[in-house]
Amino acid sequence: MVEWITHDGLLAYDEAVAFMEDRADAIARGEAEECIWLVEHPPLYTAGTSAKPDDLTDPNRFPVHPSKRGGQYTYHGPGQRVAYVMLDVGKRGRDVRKFVEQLETWVIATLAEFNLTGEIRDGRVGVWVARPDKPLTASGAPAEDKIAAIGIRLRKWVSFHGISINVEPDLDHFSGIVPCGITEYGVTSLVDLGLPVTMTDVDVALRATFDTVFDSPTD
């Protein structure tokens, strides 16, 4: 069984990390169920293990939290659904690449619930949407915007951290960083794309699509 928890209100990032680490350790010991934890944070930036100092363009804007997850700088804030994923990857095939692909597929399936096509791109972490309504990029490529971020860590084959989907955040808040080190493309949200979607709608879609992507763990 996977326990689903939805946190009401804005959750401090340090509190989230402490909970995840404790829960991941308990799962590894066989003392707790796997868990999907749905939260929102106050405005903040996180620096993954590959973060480059130059990509923090406005260091005094919001609190900056070093993070042990993979990836570079990301923004979290109100209007963004963060799904922290504490699953026993050791009992789910011990295939980290497959697990990341499953997270990507889960986001894409969730977006499809709103008739939105999410895509992945080689060399660019996260989930992207085509923006044919925008001009070509400086290199002449079709415009695309990032709508979801993915960053995980494993400890004793149990995952923590997870995914974030932009529902209706203040997109200007992303301007204090170079999100995931990528400068050529922008950031969007479900509401920015004209979809009247609420956080509750996204939560329902995440739960409805989870079992279509993730198999049950095996002993």
Side-chain angles (χ1 to χ4, degrees):
M1 294 290 294
V2 176
E3 181 181 11
W4 288 74
I5 304 172
T6 302
H7 180 85
D8 294 327
L10 301 180
L11 177 69
Y13 185 74
D14 289 343
E15 183 178 343
V17 172
F19 176 92
M20 284 191 288
E21 291 184 344
D22 287 347
R23 184 61 174 257
D25 286 343
I27 293 169
R29 294 193 302 269
E31 297 174 357
E33 295 177 339
E34 296 177 306
C35 179
I36 306 295
W37 192 22
L38 305 176
V39 311
E40 282 181 87
H41 290 299
L44 58 92
Y45 299 128
T46 66
T49 55
S50 301
K52 301 175 182 177
D54 289 347
D55 287 343
L56 182 62
T57 58
D58 192 354
N60 298 317
R61 187 170 189 180
F62 298 126
V64 180
H65 295 267
S67 174
K68 296 177 182 178
R69 62 159 176 81
Q72 302 186 40
Y73 281 105
T74 61
Y75 165 77
H76 292 315
Q80 182 190 70
R81 174 51 85 211
V82 178
Y84 287 130
V85 180
M86 289 153 275
L87 297 179
D88 192 336
V89 181
K91 293 183 178 180
R92 293 173 177 271
R94 290 193 172 222
D95 188 332
V96 178
R97 184 184 297 273
K98 178 184 176 182
F99 181 64
V100 172
E101 289 175 350
Q102 288 175 317
L103 292 173
E104 294 169 339
T105 301
W106 185 31
V107 172
I108 290 169
T110 298
L111 298 177
E113 293 287 294
F114 308 107
N115 296 314
L116 182 63
T117 301
E119 300 176 293
I120 57 174
R121 294 287 182 263
D122 289 340
R124 283 192 264 140
V125 179
V127 177
W128 302 78
V129 293
R131 296 302 303 268
D133 54 313
K134 287 187 170 185
L136 299 177
T137 67
S139 68
E144 297 181 341
D145 285 341
K146 189 171 188 175
I147 195 165
I150 297 172
I152 63 163
R153 179 174 172 81
L154 295 182
R155 179 182 293 169
K156 297 179 182 178
W157 286 103
V158 177
S159 68
F160 52 110
H161 297 284
I163 65 174
S164 61
I165 299 176
N166 297 333
V167 182
E168 193 179 7
D170 185 336
L171 296 178
D172 180 64
H173 288 180
F174 287 87
S175 64
I177 58 172
V178 178
C180 297
I182 297 169
T183 60
E184 189 174 1
Y185 300 95
V187 180
T188 191
S189 69
L190 289 161
V191 171
D192 181 54
L193 293 169
L195 298 170
V197 176
T198 68
M199 196 69 71
T200 299
D201 294 331
V202 171
D203 291 349
V204 170
L206 284 166
R207 191 152 189 172
T209 55
F210 181 84
D211 288 336
T212 69
V213 176
F214 293 93
D215 298 326
S216 298
T218 58
D219 292 332

